[in-house]
Amino acid sequence: MSRVAVVSGGSRGLGLAVCERLLAEGWRVATFSRTPNEAVERARDKYGADYHWSPVDVRDLTQLRGFAKTVHGEFGRVDLLVNNAGLLHQELFVTTAVQRMQDMVSVNLLAPMVLAQGCARFMMLGGGGVIVNISSINAVRGYRGVAAYAAAKAGLEAFGRSLARELGPANIRVNTLTPGFFDSDMTAGVTGENRDRIRRRTPLGRFGTTAEVVDAVVFLASAQSGFITGQTLIIDGGITC
Ligand SMILES: NC(=O)c1ccc[n+]([C@@H]2O[C@H](COP(=O)([O-])OP(=O)(O)OC[C@H]3O[C@@H](n4cnc5c(N)ncnc54)[C@H](OP(=O)(O)O)[C@@H]3O)[C@@H](O)[C@H]2O)c1
């Protein structure tokens, strides 16, 4: 029976690329986003019963908990959770509305915690599993305009370390993947000037590709990382080194 992955935010960007890779490698994949799109329809057509998508807004915690139960009901197990869905709002902190701050914390920190709890319970029933939380280099270096996002992602990294201690005895590994800039809808608004600056400051002199970030997710999900837990893997071409 093939393994089952839950990927949050699998309709676009990194989440979509993770779903496509895992499906191609024989996993059954359950994912959600707020809205479906052509990529979701394509995956449905191609993978049939090995693929599940439903509409979930991670800010609705009841819906989110229900998703983990639905996946377990449909697939009978949960082996991997990739907490990928994220939200970035850039604005100087002094003018950022409290509701925006709340959104950053709800989507980037509270939702991954609630989904991890829902999935970990089913992983325990199945004898183990892996959780990969997607953070950002904003969690480890300060940048203007992203204070609330950075705070939430730093919280996610701390959450992962403590969760690894609790879940290790249940044979569940928990790691954080911390990417630098890669092209997606989230970064479509970054100006040419800022893109040049990021490239200049990156020792490898280029942006990472989505596929390179997916490689790291797959590594952390695999037996090749079987003795790695509670760690943060930074994949950023060296910009934070
Ligand atoms: N791109 C970068 O340079 C970069 C760098 C470091 C870290 N990251 C992190 O990498 C992860 C993926 O980023 P990305 O660039 O691939 O983002 P993206 O292109 O904006 O895609 C985000 C995905 O999450 C879903 N999503 C967003 N808000 C949601 C909500 N409230 N409820 C349910 N689903 C929601 C989106 O679908 P819907 O909009 O339809 O809901 C979409 O599928 C995020 O955690 C991000 O913080 C990105």
Side-chain angles (χ1 to χ4, degrees):
M1 183 64 87
S2 52
R3 292 170 299 169
V4 174
V6 171
V7 180
S8 69
S11 62
R12 298 185 273 117
L14 177 60
L16 172 61
V18 169
C19 290
E20 287 175 337
R21 179 79 69 85
L22 292 173
L23 286 161
E25 293 188 357
W27 290 71
R28 289 175 289 163
V29 172
T31 190
F32 63 81
S33 53
R34 286 166 297 182
T35 45
N37 59 17
E38 275 180 22
V40 168
E41 296 307 330
R42 266 201 313 276
R44 268 183 179 151
D45 290 346
K46 187 166 177 188
Y47 293 102
D50 287 342
Y51 178 77
H52 172 104
W53 176 91
S54 47
V56 173
D57 184 330
V58 294
R59 288 168 294 193
D60 181 337
L61 299 180
T62 311
Q63 248 188 356
L64 193 57
R65 295 182 74 88
F67 185 79
K69 284 196 190 124
T70 301
V71 173
H72 190 256
E74 194 171 318
F75 288 138
R77 54 188 297 133
V78 176
D79 302 283
L80 169 66
L81 165 64
V82 182
N83 256 325
N84 163 80
L87 178 69
L88 171 64
H89 172 75
Q90 297 197 60
E91 181 179 348
L92 287 182
F93 186 68
V94 287
T95 59
T96 301
V98 171
Q99 184 57 52
R100 291 279 195 193
M101 297 181 212
Q102 223 157 34
D103 273 354
M104 289 299 104
V105 174
S106 296
V107 175
N108 297 308
L109 178 57
L110 184 59
M113 289 166 63
V114 170
L115 191 56
Q117 190 185 55
C119 289
R121 288 175 176 164
F122 293 123
M123 288 175 185
M124 283 170 170
L125 289 178
V130 178
I131 297 173
V132 179
N133 293 320
I134 307 296
S135 177
S136 159
I137 55 168
N138 292 294
V140 288
R141 289 286 182 281
Y143 296 95
R144 285 164 60 87
V146 293
Y149 175 76
K153 289 293 195 182
L156 187 64
E157 297 197 0
F159 167 66
R161 281 188 290 273
S162 287
L163 192 64
R165 289 227 170 246
E166 277 192 34
L167 297 183
N171 193 33
I172 299 171
R173 298 187 296 111
V174 184
N175 288 296
T176 304
L177 188 61
T178 298
F181 183 98
F182 60 88
D183 275 313
S184 73
D185 291 348
M186 184 178 276
T187 49
V190 176
T191 63
E193 193 187 332
N194 280 336
R195 295 168 72 90
D196 287 345
R197 189 166 35 215
I198 295 167
R199 245 188 242 106
R200 270 199 317 276
R201 291 180 180 173
T202 301
L204 293 182
R206 63 173 179 87
F207 299 140
T209 64
T210 307
E212 286 170 324
V213 183
V214 176
D215 287 341
V217 173
V218 169
F219 168 68
L220 289 176
S222 74
Q224 278 69 45
S225 62
F227 201 50
I228 300 176
T229 196
Q231 303 304 311
T232 298
L233 177 60
I234 300 181
I235 171 160
D236 69 348
I239 198 168
T240 57
C241 72

